[in-house]
Each structure stands twice: as C-alpha cells, then as structure tokens.
Amino acid sequence: MAVAEAHTTVSAARARRRGRLLPSDAGRAVNWAAACMLLMVTAVALLAPLLAPYNPLAPVSMPLQPPGHGTFLLGTDAIGRDVLSRVLYGWRSSWFAALAVIASGVVIGGFVGVFAGMSGGWLDNLLMRVTDGFLALPAPVIAIAVVAALGASFFHTLLAVAIVWWPFYARIVRGEVRALAARPHMAAARLAGSGRLRLAGRHLLPGTVPAIVITASLDVGNLVLTLAALSFLGLGQPAPAPELGADTARNLQFLLQQWWIPVMPGLAVFLLALIANLAGDGVRDLMGDR
C-alpha cells in the first residue's frame, strides 16, 4: 500500500519548504500531464455508454471476428458481442468501483484517524489495535467469506474490500493529526478558547488533506488490480455483465487462437493500473511542491 510512501512524501514536502530546490518547469509539466490522466480516465468511464459502439450484452455479429474486421475495432467474442464495448463498460465498472472503495476508506479511516489522534491515551491505543486487526485481514479471503455469506455480487465484493481498506487511511490521518497537534499554532488555538470541533474543522482536517490526496492517488492502481483479481476469481458480477477480470478468466480457452478475447480486457486492466500509478506519482510530486 501507499502508507510508507505517503509519509515519505509529506516529509520530503516539508524538507523542500525549508529551502530545497523545486523541480524544473519541465518536471512540473510532466507531473501535470500525469495528473491530468486521472481526468482522462474518468472522462472515458463517464462517457463509456456514448463511446461504446454496441450493446455490450447483445450479440451483434458473427462470433470470433478478429480485430479490425468490419466495424469491430477489437473484434468480437465467442458469441458475437463487441469486445470494445465490453472493455469500455468494464473500464467504467472497474474505475468507479475503485473510487468508491477509496472514498469509503477516506471517510471511515479519516474519522477513526482524527478521533484517535485527538483523543490520545488508551482510546488512541484501542482504536489503533482495532485498526491493526483489520490490517491483518487478507482481502481475498474476506471477499470469499462475504460472497459465501451474502451471495455473489459486485456490491458484496466491494463491501469486502472496503472492510480491509480503510485502516490504511486511519493510520495516515492519525499520524498527521498527532503531528499537527504538536505545532505551536494548535497551542495558540487552544489558548484562544477553541473547542475540539473547531480545532478539528479549522486546523486538523485541512492539514491532513495533502497526505490523504497523495495516498488515495497512489492507491487507485493497487485497488484496480485487487478488484480485477477478485473478478478474475469469480467474485464479481455474474455473467454476462462486462467486467475486465471476469472477461479475461472466462475466455482463457481462446488465448492461443482468438487471443484478443482474453487479452483486450487484461490489457485494459494494465492500462488502468499504469495510468493510475503515473498519475499518482504526478499528484504526489505536485502536492510535495506546495
């Protein structure tokens, strides 16, 4: 996960503010371009219903048409569905699922981290031990257990992953809150009569935003791969729903002849994870320059 890297980034940002040289303008441009990739990926996910040339669930041509045949840019699958349309809808599903899990992790982990960091003492220790307990839970095993108990569905898989994802954010937010609470301006705010809620809302929460943004941006790629792996294992939406991991797994028997059917969804997962990691690096560097 991105916990250690986020702490390193925050420390590097503070060091640069103490006088180190900022990256060159060329480096800034590269970082901005990488960060803008997040917007591009989100735009493709939002516009997938408009970009997809066909219904991803319905056969539209002869089966096993190769890429570039007729109007089928990525070919057709074993029952004649357009591979490009299924990849676009699977892209949309994977991206928004990753963002949903990260959003839940930021909200739950942020609340736990702020509460623990402000409380201190035995309550802080208790919450961190509970957090450590959740960190020890393996995501695939929890996903299998949740799906076995509640039934196979994409929502249940997301629920299982969210259960084990929030502790990373709780750890980071708690560390940032503890560091911010020891600064002179916090002591001045307390002397001025600020209550706990005001301290949290005006001073602590805004100070944790850079670390949260950096961690979340670096985390998207890991989460895309995790969800794709669980989908590959059959823990996602049931067929015929378009999912990148599941479409790769269901069509492995075509790998040596009609290679495009399993390879194109897998390539989409690779591109999503690569773009997310490059964009995360760009966001980290840009936030570190501030």
Side-chain angles (χ1 to χ4, degrees), residues 164-199:
V164 298
W165 219 263
W166 65 266
F168 299 99
Y169 293 93
R171 275 286 183 187
I172 286 193
V173 172
R174 184 257 184 188
E176 287 296 303
V177 167
R178 298 289 288 180
L180 290 169
R183 292 187 177 180
H185 73 280
M186 290 297 296
R190 292 191 192 95
L191 291 174
S194 297
R196 283 179 173 268
L197 289 178
R198 184 176 179 83
L199 288 174

Side-chain angles (χ1 to χ4, degrees), residues 9 15-16 27 35 40 50-51 55 67 70 111 181 184 197 216 220 224 232 234 239 254 256-257:
T9 302
R16 279 195 287 269
M40 181 194 71
L50 299 177
L51 297 175
N55 184 341
F111 176 79
L197 289 178
V220 177
V224 166
F232 185 89
F254 300 106
L256 298 181
Q257 288 81 32

Side-chain angles (χ1 to χ4, degrees), residues 26-158:
R28 286 177 182 271
V30 171
N31 291 334
W32 273 110
C36 287
M37 290 180 182
L38 289 176
L39 298 178
M40 181 194 71
V41 171
T42 304
V44 172
L46 285 171
L47 298 175
L50 299 177
L51 297 175
Y54 299 100
N55 184 341
L57 304 179
V60 293
S61 181
M62 295 294 293
L64 308 178
Q65 298 296 318
H69 184 274
T71 58
F72 305 105
L73 186 61
L74 300 184
T76 61
D77 65 7
I79 61 175
R81 296 173 301 196
D82 180 49
V83 174
L84 174 60
S85 298
R86 292 187 64 81
V87 166
L88 286 172
Y89 273 84
W91 180 291
R92 173 189 177 95
S93 174
S94 297
W95 186 249
F96 287 132
L99 295 184
V101 173
I102 287 178
S104 68
V106 169
V107 172
I108 299 173
F111 176 79
V112 173
V114 169
F115 194 69
M118 290 189 64
S119 300
W122 67 269
L123 187 55
D124 179 22
N125 290 329
L126 175 63
L127 290 174
M128 288 302 100
R129 298 299 76 77
V130 172
T131 300
D132 291 340
F134 277 95
L135 283 171
L137 298 175
V141 175
I142 295 300
I144 293 172
V146 170
V147 169
L150 302 178
S153 79
F154 198 47
F155 174 77
H156 294 159
T157 301
L158 295 183

Side-chain angles (χ1 to χ4, degrees), residues 237-277:
Q237 301 180 72
E243 263 195 278
L244 299 179
D247 280 356
T248 299
R250 294 170 191 147
N251 297 293
L252 284 178
Q253 68 268 29
F254 300 106
L255 183 60
L256 298 181
Q257 288 81 32
Q258 292 79 28
W259 55 268
W260 61 90
I261 304 176
V263 166
M264 293 304 177
L267 183 60
V269 173
F270 168 75
L271 288 176
L272 265 179
L274 177 63
I275 291 173
N277 285 329

